[in-house]
Amino acid sequence: FLYNWVSKTIEENFLIEGGKIFLSKSFRLLKILRCVILEIVFLYAQNCILDETSLFIHENLKILIQPICLDYKNSFSPLLREVQVIYFCFQILDLPKIDLDVELISLIFNLIFIPTLEMIKTNFEDFPDIRKAFFLFLEKLVGKFFLFMFKLDKDPIQSENAFKLVIHAIIWGIKHPDNTICIQSLEICFYLLNSVEKENFGNYFFSKFFKQ
């Protein structure tokens, strides 16, 4: 997979050159190439999904997405993670006719959401581009796939822990000094609370998370 080769090349150069790599022309070109590959993969998936005659199935989509998300999670350094991967996942989730299964949502959650949250939760300043993309992604994840938030793992305890991370991310966003992220997180929280009541999860939700 060409995408993984590009990422591996970037990491190898980073190990040799350290922080100097970010000033090099080769690094910029490799990043551009990586983003172009992401765009091609998305356009292919989009055309297949929107084409009613296509035999494209969820398993094929998983085959396309998993190596990209896995590469993001396993990046040698958070500094090398590509923000466009988050936007790529956002675009996939935003496709109008897409009907994803919980397995694919869980894959994206574990490989994109969790490592990104780990990157940005230590302060309010680092990784501003990734931070902005993360909350846009979170808004789409909660807004379009709310019911999947309770099924992110086959183990009910692990699934509940995963949902707690969603709650913590929203709370973290509400506390954010960036006004855009703060308002966005409040809107996510408002939607989540309405969805909880609508789907009759109120007793469970408030008993578990009211004091969060």
Side-chain angles (χ1 to χ4, degrees), residues 9-207:
T9 302
I10 290 175
E11 290 189 352
E12 289 174 349
N13 291 344
F14 179 77
L15 287 172
I16 296 171
E17 302 179 32
K20 294 180 181 179
I21 188 179
F22 300 113
L23 302 176
S24 69
K25 183 178 180 180
S26 61
F27 172 73
R28 292 193 295 271
L29 291 174
L30 286 169
K31 276 183 65 68
I32 291 172
L33 178 56
R34 191 159 64 172
C35 292
V36 169
I37 296 170
L38 283 173
E39 183 64 20
I40 292 172
V41 172
F42 170 73
L43 290 174
Y44 171 73
Q46 179 186 48
N47 290 335
C48 290
I49 290 170
L50 298 182
D51 181 2
E52 295 181 356
T53 64
S54 173
L55 298 177
F56 193 82
I57 57 175
H58 289 146
E59 192 61 32
N60 289 340
L61 186 59
K62 181 180 177 182
I63 290 172
L64 285 175
I65 291 177
Q66 188 169 17
I68 294 171
C69 293
L70 195 60
D71 174 83
Y72 179 92
K73 177 182 181 295
N74 294 335
S75 180
F76 177 77
S77 167
L79 294 171
L80 300 179
R81 283 181 177 149
E82 177 57 61
V83 64
Q84 292 304 322
V85 173
I86 304 177
Y87 286 117
F88 167 78
C89 291
F90 169 84
Q91 289 177 304
I92 292 293
L93 297 180
D94 197 41
L95 287 172
K97 291 186 179 181
I98 198 165
D99 183 22
L100 299 182
D101 57 23
V102 67
E103 184 179 353
L104 192 55
I105 294 296
S106 179
L107 182 149
I108 294 174
F109 182 87
N110 288 314
L111 300 183
I112 301 296
F113 178 91
I114 292 178
T116 305
L117 182 61
E118 288 295 318
M119 287 173 61
I120 67 173
K121 72 178 185 179
T122 55
N123 58 55
F124 291 119
E125 291 83 30
D126 293 343
F127 311 107
D129 292 340
I130 284 184
R131 191 178 298 269
K132 178 181 177 181
F134 173 80
F135 284 100
L136 188 67
F137 166 75
L138 176 60
E139 184 176 30
K140 183 59 60 179
L141 192 64
V142 173
K144 195 171 181 180
F145 300 96
F146 170 76
L147 290 178
F148 288 177
M149 297 296 97
F150 298 92
K151 306 174 184 177
L152 291 170
D153 196 285
K154 294 180 180 179
D155 181 345
I157 295 177
Q158 293 302 319
S159 187
E160 184 175 295
N161 289 336
F163 186 67
K164 284 180 182 179
L165 290 179
V166 174
I167 301 300
H168 291 162
I170 295 172
I171 294 172
W172 179 253
I174 292 173
K175 296 177 180 178
H176 208 287
D178 184 304
N179 194 50
T180 300
I181 291 177
C182 177
I183 292 174
Q184 189 174 30
S185 299
L186 284 169
E187 291 174 347
I188 297 172
C189 184
F190 180 74
Y191 178 86
L192 184 142
L193 292 175
N194 281 340
S195 298
V196 163
E197 290 297 330
K198 182 180 178 181
E199 300 296 337
N200 295 319
F201 291 136
N203 291 336
Y204 163 78
F205 178 84
F206 290 111
S207 66

